[in-house]
Amino acid sequence: GENVEQHPSTLSVQEGDSAVIKCTYSDSASNYFPWYKQELGKRPQLIIDIRSNVGEKKDQRIAVTLNKTAKHFSLHITETQPEDSAVYFCAASTGNTGKLIFGQGTTLQVKP
Amino acid sequence: NAGVTQTPKFQVLKTGQSMTLQCAQDMNHEYMSWYRQDPGMGLRLIHYSVGAGITDQGEVPNGYNVSRSTTEDFPLRLLSAAPSQTSVYFCASSPTGSLNYGYTFGSGTRLTVV
């Protein structure tokens, strides 16, 4: 079955710097890759997603890239702010299976 | 819309007890899933469903049962609770088709088994 590996497990940056979180997946049939943000004590919330027919997607300070050949995708956050501090999860899904598998999560700390 | 509603929010069980975690959504979503979240292990898929009457096992199904008799409800049953099932449980739902909108999560149930 699908396996998703996420790195790093923790990331600390200074406010204003960029942050990059990387994920790899095992199932070459995976075609949907969402990213979730989870603040302390809250539920995960979808922040951006990308499909296999697209190489890059941007939404203000957040961007995702996908390399299907290497089976990895990344989350890029520019001009980080303290409110970006949270746990970020990547995930992968295949077609219409309804089965969404998550990575282990990255705890991002943005220091003021 | 209330979104995805989970009850209870907190629960303490004794080892060997059984219980059902409730999950309901009012968005007419076809896809529903149950995840457990443990420190350092991310969100692990327990069971999922692509529609009423259809369920399948996820990554960690042992010790849990599900059924999906209606589109709205997807309860998770713990058959005989064990301390290893202490966790935060999230239910999530997604519109039909190819997961175009990702999953929407409920607020979670924090379960402690003593």
Side-chain angles (χ1 to χ4, degrees):
Chain A
E2 176 69 280
N3 184 50
V4 179
E5 296 288 334
Q6 183 173 345
H7 300 281
S9 57
T10 60
L11 180 59
S12 181
V13 300
Q14 289 294 135
E15 182 177 0
D17 287 350
S18 295
V20 180
I21 302 170
K22 299 182 178 182
C23 290
T24 59
Y25 60 98
S26 62
D27 190 344
S28 57
S30 290
N31 59 4
Y32 177 69
F33 308 93
W35 287 87
Y36 286 80
K37 176 182 180 182
Q38 185 180 30
E39 297 176 344
L40 190 62
K42 302 289 183 63
R43 73 192 77 185
Q45 293 200 309
L46 179 69
I47 56 172
I48 195 167
D49 56 16
I50 192 168
R51 291 160 185 79
S52 57
N53 59 347
V54 175
E56 183 175 1
K57 182 177 179 180
K58 291 183 179 179
D59 183 3
Q60 299 183 340
R61 296 185 296 108
I62 294 175
V64 291
T65 58
L66 172 65
N67 183 327
K68 288 191 295 182
T69 302
K71 290 191 285 187
H72 66 70
F73 56 114
S74 301
L75 176 72
H76 305 254
I77 306 174
T78 59
E79 301 173 17
T80 54
Q81 302 167 4
E83 51 265 38
D84 293 330
S85 296
V87 180
Y88 291 81
F89 293 98
C90 63
S93 178
T94 303
N96 298 336
T97 65
K99 188 176 183 180
L100 187 66
I101 301 299
F102 283 81
Q104 297 87 345
T106 296
T107 300
L108 173 64
Q109 180 187 28
V110 180
K111 299 177 181 178
Chain B
N1 288 347
V4 180
T5 302
Q6 289 185 238
T7 55
K9 294 191 182 303
F10 302 93
Q11 183 70 49
V12 178
L13 285 179
K14 293 183 178 179
T15 297
Q17 286 184 320
S18 63
M19 80 159 296
T20 299
L21 306 185
Q22 301 292 344
C23 176
Q25 52 90 10
D26 61 357
M27 299 172 284
N28 200 32
H29 286 176
E30 290 289 335
Y31 293 172
M32 295 187 75
S33 292
W34 276 102
Y35 291 89
R36 60 177 289 174
Q37 184 172 31
D38 304 293
M41 303 193 73
L43 294 152
R44 292 184 292 170
L45 181 64
I46 305 172
H47 287 285
Y48 64 104
S49 170
V50 297
I54 307 170
T55 64
D56 206 347
Q57 295 182 350
E59 301 169 280
V60 289
N62 292 342
Y64 307 95
N65 273 358
V66 292
S67 60
R68 183 98 180 268
S69 57
T70 67
T71 299
E72 294 77 20
D73 299 299
F74 191 41
L76 178 72
R77 282 181 287 277
L78 279 69
L79 309 174
S80 178
S84 60
Q85 293 179 304
T86 293
S87 188
V88 178
Y89 291 84
F90 286 101
C91 178
S93 72
S94 177
T96 189
S98 58
L99 289 182
N100 285 329
Y101 304 102
Y103 271 100
T104 298
F105 281 79
S107 58
T109 295
R110 185 173 295 275
L111 176 68
T112 302
V113 182
V114 298

